[in-house]
Amino acid sequence: MSGNLDSEVRDQLKRSGYTLTSQRRAVLEALDESDGHPSAEEVYLAVKRRNPRVALGTVYQALSVLEEVGIVESKHWADSPVRYDLNLDPHLDIRCVRCGRVDEVPGVELGGLEAGIRNNTPYAVRRTAVLIEGLCPICQKA
């Protein structure tokens, strides 16, 4: 993590009554270095490569705290494990229907979609998530 991001994360955790522990830092680094939106198990495997003594429960706990304070977002889709994302800005995700890989679709703005939804429903909209499904380049070759 860059020094500026590190400072922002520390401040956000502190405002919520937490600290940036080595375990939370390792989870954030694994998320930052990941390709796509990893599952908790994928984050665990990445952290475990650096620290073989880390427990899966520790990774789940770190992800839970980081989500609670608004540093990461969990993505819940049918037929897929929960995925984690550091990008909290509105964006489109694309998921491979064969292998489950999830990536962001660059260069596509959501425009007024969220505002339109808020203005046309009595629901108190907390978050707008849009998922596109297709075949990733690897599965297209298989």
Side-chain angles (χ1 to χ4, degrees):
M1 284 186 333
S2 70
N4 192 30
L5 178 60
D6 189 37
S7 177
E8 291 174 23
V9 167
R10 281 183 194 279
D11 290 345
Q12 200 165 349
L13 284 164
K14 187 175 182 180
R15 283 191 303 272
S16 299
Y18 295 101
T19 59
L20 182 57
T21 63
S22 61
Q23 295 90 346
R24 292 180 189 135
R25 174 187 289 282
V27 166
L28 284 168
E29 288 172 351
L31 284 167
D32 190 43
E33 295 167 4
S34 72
D35 187 23
H37 298 8
S39 67
E41 188 166 313
E42 290 166 335
V43 172
Y44 165 70
L45 292 173
V47 171
K48 191 169 181 65
R49 280 193 289 275
R50 291 184 182 164
N51 179 2
R53 295 176 40 198
V54 71
L56 179 59
T58 301
V59 170
Y60 271 106
Q61 185 178 18
L63 286 167
S64 177
V65 168
L66 294 169
E67 182 178 17
E68 177 187 329
V69 301
I71 296 170
V72 302
E73 179 178 58
S74 62
K75 310 270 183 153
H76 304 261
W77 298 300
D79 302 330
S80 177
V82 174
R83 304 276 181 169
Y84 293 88
D85 191 0
L86 281 173
N87 182 359
L88 304 181
D89 295 328
H91 64 276
L92 292 174
D93 291 312
I94 188 163
R95 181 173 70 100
C96 181
V97 294
R98 185 174 293 158
C99 71
R101 176 185 171 89
V102 179
D103 290 298
E104 293 176 5
V105 179
V108 178
E109 297 294 324
L110 290 177
L113 178 64
E114 190 167 355
I117 292 168
R118 288 179 193 276
N119 292 334
N120 289 294
T121 184
Y123 282 73
V125 178
R126 293 183 171 181
R127 149 178 94 93
T128 303
V130 178
L131 174 69
I132 311 301
E133 292 185 320
L135 285 176
C136 72
I138 294 169
C139 288
Q140 289 177 47
K141 293 177 185 175

